[in-house]
């Protein structure tokens, strides 16, 4: 009797726990301006990659799994095509989605699914044929000269309802497929949404709305007084008209999908890529330089206010100018927005920006076009440097995610002409110098293409986790040189295994006397304990 009562009490307690307590669904959390993606209740760092646009088909899967093993990724991003899942209205085919998620599980990969619905890169190329061929029911964006474009209008209720119905069906199916396993981390709603070819819809219906008063919620979001679109927003009126209806459109789709399967959803952004040179002579050209209406750098705050159902706004980075990349990371690292980079060029010159993103608190990073089949925006070579970085950081990705969320992680990234940098941990300062070899008494040479990087996380008052790429790391006290009134008590090379640090050897002598040195051909991690005297 007593044992049966104990069992009954245990079952009652288990049933009384909050839903999902034992296996919590993925979600974003914020603390003191820092963000984490929690997976099964623990911070998770997405070291991912995105497949080419036309690679989410079973014929491509063998090449995909091989490419992602070589990348050392823990997450894969892949499209779900509206034209494939709903070839006829209301009739759904989940075969590709099911096979893809099954294969990802077999290869120990988490999944981010990308909804290619109304928009893909500012166009409507992935909508079903029954939508493409019925321009009366599913109206297109009309240019100012009256010409139709291959973009569905965000001002159309019929377009929104068709996309929403398909997305709701997808999210309902994903819950059945993955409601407890948590293979799927996030779902992207649309892809680089907005208009290419016209700044807004100039149809008669849209023109009537444009000539009227700006809606109250847009005025509140923009902190403006009432008036017509042209009166209130002047030169930005056309773009912000598109933005308003586009944000409402996507927000309604996202909210309906999350009502079926409540995991984080986000949008990715084709950026406005003006450089810092001669800014007074440059003009933003929405609809030409980038899809009009998107959540580009200058409009993230408006999108945040107008589309609360979206959990994040994430930049796609293909401009490798260092100052541009830093400005983008700062623009999307906001108290109201978790930062991650769902697309970045896979060429080696962009690999160091993983460290830059982590320094801004990023939750994930993914080069585009990892698999071998398909056109790539910056060439077709394998993502070698990204793979090196993932192999280096992957074994401690959970620790990195946790330490970053706790505000204990800093990074440094080499810049051309700056072979040395400083990081400040308060009691301890850190000098990072780039390039090999670094000879006694000589200035650090830097690397030929400025690819050096370093990552340092504070484990305790005098204890740090250190790694890097073609960099040497010297700890020192404020206003003192390295080795003055301080010393390395222990420097352990090792790795984390199931959350526990496992040392494999001690560094000393040549490995520590000139700083902790990390070469790109010999990726290592060192746990160092410091002392003062």
């Amino acid at each position: 009797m007593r044992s049966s009562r104990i069992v009954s009490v245990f079952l009652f307690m288990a049933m009384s726990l909050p839903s999902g307590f034992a296996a919590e669904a993925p979600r974003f959390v914020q603390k003191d301006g820092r963000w984490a993606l929690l997976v099964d209740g623990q911070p998770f760092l997405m070291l991912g990659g995105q497949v080419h646009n036309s690679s989410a088909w079973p014929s491509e899967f063998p090449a995909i799994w091989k490419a992602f093993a070589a990348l050392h990724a823990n997450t894969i991003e892949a499209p779900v095509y509206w034209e494939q899942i709903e070839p006829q209205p209301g009739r759904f085919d989940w075969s590709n989605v099911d096979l893809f998620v099954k294969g990802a599980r077999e290869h120990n990969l988490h999944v981010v699914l990308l909804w290619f619905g109304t928009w893909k890169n500012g166009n409507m190329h992935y909508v079903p044929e029954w939508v493409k061929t019925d321009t009366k029911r599913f109206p297109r964006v009309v240019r100012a000269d009256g010409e139709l474009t291959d973009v569905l209008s965000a001002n159309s209720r019929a377009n929104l309802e068709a996309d929403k119905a398909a997305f709701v069906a997808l999210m309902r199916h994903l819950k059945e497929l993955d409601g407890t396993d948590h293979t799927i981390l996030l779902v992207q709603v649309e892809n680089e949404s907005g208009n290419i070819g016209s700044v807004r819809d100039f149809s008669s219906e849209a023109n009537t709305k444009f000539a009227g008063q700006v809606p109250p919620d847009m005025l509140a979001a923009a902190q403006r007084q009432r008036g017509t679109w042209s009166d209130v927003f002047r030169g930005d009126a056309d773009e912000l008209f598109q933005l308003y209806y586009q944000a409402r459109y996507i927000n309604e789709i996202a909210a309906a999908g999350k009502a079926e399967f409540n995991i984080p959803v986000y949008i990715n952004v084709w950026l406005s890529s003006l450089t810092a040179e001669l800014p007074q002579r440059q003009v933003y050209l929405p609809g030409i330089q980038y899809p009009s209406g998107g959540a580009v750098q200058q409009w993230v705050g408006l999108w945040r206010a107008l589309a609360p159902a979206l959990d994040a706004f994430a930049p796609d980075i293909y401009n490798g100018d260092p100052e541009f990349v830093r400005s983008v990371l700062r623009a999307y690292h906001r108290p109201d927005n978790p930062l991650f980079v769902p697309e970045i060029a896979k060429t080696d010159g962009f690999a160091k920006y993983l460290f830059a993103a982590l320094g801004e608190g990023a939750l994930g990073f993914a080069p585009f076009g990892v698999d071998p089949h398909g056109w790539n925006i910056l060439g077709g070579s394998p993502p070698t440097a990204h793979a090196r970085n993932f192999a280096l950081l992957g074994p401690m990705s959970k620790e990195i995610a946790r330490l970053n969320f706790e505000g204990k992680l800093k990074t440094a990234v080499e810049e051309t002409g700056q072979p040395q940098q400083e990081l400040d941990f308060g009691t301890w300062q850190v000098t990072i110098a780039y390039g090999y070899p670094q000879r006694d008494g000589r200035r650090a040479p830097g690397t030929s293409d400025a690819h050096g990087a370093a990552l340092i996380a504070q484990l305790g008052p005098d204890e740090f986790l250190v790694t890097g790429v073609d960099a040497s790391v010297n700890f020192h006290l404020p206003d003192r040189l390295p080795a003055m009134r301080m010393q390395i008590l222990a420097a352990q090379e090792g790795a984390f295994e199931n959350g526990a640090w496992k040392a494999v050897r001690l560094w000393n002598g040549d490995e520590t006397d000139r700083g902790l040195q990390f070469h790109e051909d010999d990726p290592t991690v060192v746990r160092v304990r410091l002392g003062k005297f």
Side-chain angles (χ1 to χ4, degrees):
M1 285 291 292
R2 183 180 179 186
S3 61
S4 64
R5 285 199 300 271
I6 292 173
V7 170
S8 297
V9 170
F10 176 80
L11 289 173
F12 173 79
M13 291 175 64
M15 293 173 65
S16 300
L17 290 173
S19 177
F21 180 84
E24 186 179 24
R27 63 189 178 100
F28 290 127
V29 294
Q30 192 256 23
K31 178 180 69 175
D32 300 328
R34 298 184 298 273
W35 289 87
L37 170 63
L38 297 188
V39 179
D40 294 326
Q42 300 298 318
F44 182 83
L45 173 62
M46 294 178 286
L47 297 175
Q50 187 172 143
V51 304
H52 284 102
N53 293 165
S54 298
S55 290
W57 297 89
S59 62
E60 304 300 304
F61 291 174
I64 286 175
W65 309 134
K66 183 178 179 180
F68 274 75
L71 183 61
H72 304 284
N74 62 24
T75 304
I76 182 169
E77 300 176 4
V80 175
Y81 313 115
W82 185 5
E83 63 181 347
Q84 186 272 323
I85 68 163
E86 194 181 11
Q88 297 177 7
R91 297 180 60 181
F92 293 99
D93 176 1
W94 308 116
S95 55
N96 279 18
V97 175
D98 293 353
L99 284 172
F100 182 80
V101 173
K102 178 176 181 292
R105 287 174 181 155
E106 292 171 349
H107 291 85
N108 298 312
L109 290 167
H110 283 284
V111 168
V112 175
L113 291 176
L114 320 174
W115 173 236
F116 284 12
T118 294
W119 289 282
K120 164 65 172 75
N121 294 14
N123 294 111
M124 53 171 281
H125 296 163
Y126 285 86
V127 305
E129 189 171 336
W130 52 269
V131 173
K132 292 176 181 176
T133 55
D134 192 347
T135 57
K136 184 175 181 179
R137 180 182 173 191
F138 303 109
R140 313 287 188 89
V141 168
V142 179
R143 296 190 328 198
D145 62 2
E147 286 293 321
L148 294 181
T149 69
D150 60 347
V151 186
L152 289 179
S153 175
N155 295 92
S156 165
R157 190 72 205 177
N159 291 344
L160 192 160
E161 291 293 347
D163 189 320
K164 183 172 68 172
F167 188 71
V168 164
L170 170 65
M171 295 295 278
R172 184 182 300 126
H173 180 74
L174 295 182
K175 184 174 183 179
E176 296 172 356
L177 182 66
D178 196 57
T180 58
D181 289 339
H182 306 158
T183 300
I184 302 169
L185 303 179
L186 313 171
V187 175
Q188 177 182 292
V189 189
E190 316 300 341
N191 183 278
E192 296 182 343
S193 65
N195 296 347
I196 285 292
S198 181
V199 66
R200 69 169 175 89
D201 185 2
F202 289 88
S203 66
S204 58
E205 178 185 355
N207 285 340
T208 299
K209 292 178 179 178
F210 184 80
Q213 296 289 303
V214 176
D217 53 343
M218 181 62 173
L219 292 173
Q223 299 181 349
R224 300 291 182 91
Q225 298 299 314
R226 69 188 302 269
T228 67
W229 286 92
S230 294
D231 291 339
V232 174
F233 296 114
R234 298 187 181 277
D236 293 321
D238 287 327
E239 181 180 11
L240 293 184
F241 178 85
Q242 171 65 26
L243 183 153
Y244 174 74
Y245 286 98
Q246 186 173 314
R248 286 167 55 89
Y249 187 113
I250 294 177
N251 184 71
E252 184 171 334
I253 291 169
K258 288 172 69 175
E260 297 291 335
F261 188 25
N262 191 17
I263 62 172
V265 299
Y266 72 97
I267 62 169
N268 65 327
V269 183
W270 178 337
L271 300 169
S272 55
S273 296
L274 298 186
T275 65
E277 299 176 2
L278 300 176
Q280 71 277 14
R281 296 187 182 181
Q282 298 187 79
V283 178
Y284 289 102
L285 296 175
I288 297 175
Q289 291 174 331
Y290 58 90
S292 180
V296 293
Q297 300 93 304
Q298 62 268 37
W299 305 133
V300 180
L302 279 178
W303 266 88
R304 179 72 284 166
L306 294 170
L310 292 169
D311 297 286
F313 306 90
D316 295 347
I317 301 177
Y318 292 97
N319 180 334
D321 176 74
E323 179 53 40
F324 174 77
V325 175
R326 286 194 298 270
S327 71
V328 167
L329 296 176
R330 290 193 297 265
Y332 290 88
H333 178 199
R334 298 165 51 101
D336 59 3
N337 187 61
L339 171 67
F340 65 102
V341 181
E343 282 188 46
I344 194 166
K346 71 174 181 177
T347 49
D348 287 355
F350 287 78
K352 68 178 183 180
Y353 295 126
L354 169 59
F355 292 86
L358 290 173
E360 283 286 346
L363 313 184
F365 190 88
F368 171 78
V370 172
D371 59 298
H373 298 147
W375 175 85
N376 196 284
I377 192 167
L378 286 177
S381 59
T384 306
H386 290 288
R388 175 204 64 212
N389 290 346
F390 285 12
L392 174 64
L393 302 183
M396 58 178 181
S397 61
K398 292 181 180 179
E399 287 72 27
I400 291 173
R402 175 180 57 80
L403 290 163
N404 218 352
F405 187 44
E406 293 172 356
K408 297 177 180 178
L409 184 145
K410 294 180 183 291
T411 64
V413 175
E414 184 182 4
E415 304 293 353
T416 301
Q418 299 180 24
Q420 187 167 302
Q421 296 172 357
E422 291 286 319
L423 292 179
D424 182 3
F425 283 90
T427 302
W428 293 102
Q429 308 293 300
V430 190
T431 301
I432 297 102
Y434 303 105
Y436 274 83
Q438 297 192 14
R439 304 193 184 281
D440 292 345
R442 299 184 185 180
R443 181 177 171 85
T447 65
S448 61
D449 56 355
H451 68 259
L455 179 148
I456 301 169
Q458 189 163 19
L459 304 178
D462 302 311
E463 191 168 12
F464 296 85
L465 197 66
V466 188
T467 191
V469 176
D470 275 354
S472 70
V473 176
N474 269 294
F475 288 87
H476 62 93
L477 295 170
D479 301 319
R480 293 185 181 272
L481 294 173
M484 293 183 63
R485 302 302 296 269
M486 60 80 60
Q487 59 189 331
I488 294 177
L489 301 178
Q492 300 176 340
E493 179 186 334
F496 283 96
E497 295 180 10
N498 298 320
W501 175 257
K502 301 292 184 182
V504 296
R505 66 167 177 156
L506 292 177
W507 281 17
N508 220 319
D510 288 343
E511 283 69 50
T512 58
D513 292 348
R514 296 165 180 81
L516 307 173
Q517 300 200 33
F518 301 92
H519 195 278
E520 67 173 331
D521 294 331
D522 185 22
T524 51
V525 180
V526 173
R527 185 169 183 164
V528 60
R529 192 168 70 255
L530 308 173
K532 309 180 187 75
F533 61 86

